[in-house]
Amino acid sequence: MSAVLAAALLLPVLAGCGTDTESGPGPAGAASPAPSDDVTSALKKNAALANLLPADVRTQGTLRIASYVGAPPSAYFPDTSTREPAGLDIDIADAVSKLLGLRLERQDASFEAILPALGSGKYDLGTGNFGVTDERRKTIDFVTYINDGQGFAVRKDDTSLDKVTTLEQLCGKTVGTSAGTTFEATLNSQKGVCADAGKKPYTVKVFSDQGAITTSLQQGRIDVVMSTINGLRYQAAQPAAGVRFLGEFHRLDVGFAFAKGSPLVKAFQGAVNELIKNGTYGRILEKWGTRDSAIEESQISPPEAK
């Protein structure tokens, strides 16, 4: 978020896996099937939008996209044996590419590796529920497509917290989150709130593997998870997860990520706005249960939401 987790989400294969709350995540490949709604195949190339692309891109007809595939509803593997990704990020990217007359060459990448790789030219763009922050805007251009953000969750049987509105409520607890995310940055930058309040500090445990966060929560090695609002809501709706969502903490715009100064951003912004206008955008969000994250208009690298 990420840094969605940014977007970084939990439970890459847990949702709907059919296990009980004591047994933990099911085996690999036991993820819930993706919704079957076809929301992109009818889209056709929009010549006016395609003309916003650089000439060499139009001629080449392909773009290299790095995708962080973490967990639903953003992006995950419904069937780990085929490793065909599904999710809101996947549908939005596919819809935009159809309007622009492009083919996406998708490569899986770790969340923390994508943004640096954009600057090196390894990829043309990236997705991973990347939240727009002022720090990231120094080196990255964003084209927004949803509004997600930061939230917290605990085990369903944990009644020590009801809703987290200030980080002071976490004092004395162990908080798990994902590497390279806005969640990690927020937690580390505000560790002093507990000392200021005369309380025991909270401990931050960072994981690169999303399944490890879930396992640590279920086994009591961490007390709280900080992750995306949409991801935690989705997870809490799965009875097998045994997770309780503690509500929204801070909203952030989320967007496609590009190297600073990329000539692609105007075309992508125009395509997202066309999807909003023609109703495809709403159908994608409805498919993934994320209507609360709808935006009215795509923006290019807006200031960080405060």
Side-chain angles (χ1 to χ4, degrees):
M1 296 213 71
S2 73
V4 137
L5 152 217
L9 296 176
L10 306 180
L11 290 178
V13 296
L14 175 59
C17 63
T19 60
D20 59 34
T21 56
E22 276 78 40
S23 60
S32 58
S36 59
D37 315 49
D38 181 357
V39 291
T40 64
S41 65
L43 293 171
K44 305 297 182 184
K45 178 179 176 179
N46 182 308
L49 291 174
N51 283 337
L52 295 175
L53 293 166
D56 61 332
V57 174
R58 295 198 305 271
T59 300
Q60 179 178 294
T62 61
L63 287 177
R64 298 160 299 164
I65 180 171
S67 297
Y68 170 68
V69 182
S74 182
Y76 72 119
F77 296 117
D79 184 344
T80 55
S81 66
T82 63
R83 294 188 68 79
E84 286 293 331
L88 184 147
D89 281 1
I90 307 302
D91 281 348
I92 291 284
D94 286 349
V96 166
S97 70
K98 288 180 182 296
L99 289 182
L100 297 179
L102 297 172
R103 182 174 63 85
L104 296 179
E105 295 179 347
R106 181 173 279 111
Q107 298 181 42
D108 300 338
S110 65
F111 181 87
E112 61 269 30
I114 293 177
L115 298 186
L118 295 173
S120 72
K122 183 176 182 179
Y123 307 115
D124 298 305
L125 71 153
T127 59
N129 205 273
F130 289 113
V132 181
T133 69
D134 290 338
E135 183 63 27
R136 286 176 173 168
R137 291 194 306 138
K138 295 175 182 177
T139 57
I140 298 293
D141 280 338
F142 293 93
V143 172
T144 62
Y145 57 88
I146 59 166
N147 180 260
D148 196 349
Q150 303 173 334
F152 292 93
V154 294
R155 292 184 307 278
K156 190 171 288 186
D157 60 358
D158 185 343
T159 60
S160 64
L161 289 171
D162 181 48
K163 182 177 176 64
V164 176
T165 56
T166 70
L167 295 186
E168 186 181 328
Q169 293 171 263
L170 303 177
C171 296
K173 295 185 178 294
T174 300
V175 186
T177 195
S178 296
T181 62
T182 60
F183 317 121
E184 181 187 10
T186 296
L187 291 167
N188 286 334
S189 68
Q190 298 190 46
K191 278 186 173 180
V193 299
C194 296
D196 293 343
K199 298 180 178 180
K200 181 180 178 181
Y202 56 74
T203 300
V204 180
K205 285 193 174 181
V206 178
F207 300 83
S208 58
D209 176 74
Q210 302 311 306
I213 299 177
T214 302
T215 300
S216 293
L217 181 67
Q218 292 173 332
Q219 295 181 352
R221 296 198 298 269
I222 60 175
D223 304 305
V224 187
V225 171
M226 188 179 190
S227 190
T228 66
I229 294 168
N230 285 338
L232 293 176
R233 276 182 172 156
Y234 187 102
Q235 185 183 16
Q238 315 304 315
V243 168
R244 183 166 59 87
F245 180 51
L246 298 181
E248 299 179 10
F249 181 71
H250 178 55
R251 282 273 178 177
L252 281 173
D253 291 311
V254 169
F256 293 106
F258 302 84
K260 195 72 176 176
S262 170
L264 300 172
V265 294
K266 285 289 187 182
F268 271 72
Q269 180 194 32
V272 173
N273 284 329
E274 175 60 24
L275 294 174
I276 293 172
K277 180 180 176 181
N278 68 25
T280 302
Y281 177 77
R283 290 191 289 275
I284 292 173
L285 268 60
E286 185 70 31
K287 172 181 177 179
W288 295 105
T290 56
R291 294 287 301 200
D292 287 348
S293 285
I295 59 173
E296 294 183 358
E297 184 180 24
S298 176
Q299 300 181 70
I300 296 174
S301 299
E304 180 179 350
K306 302 299 185 182

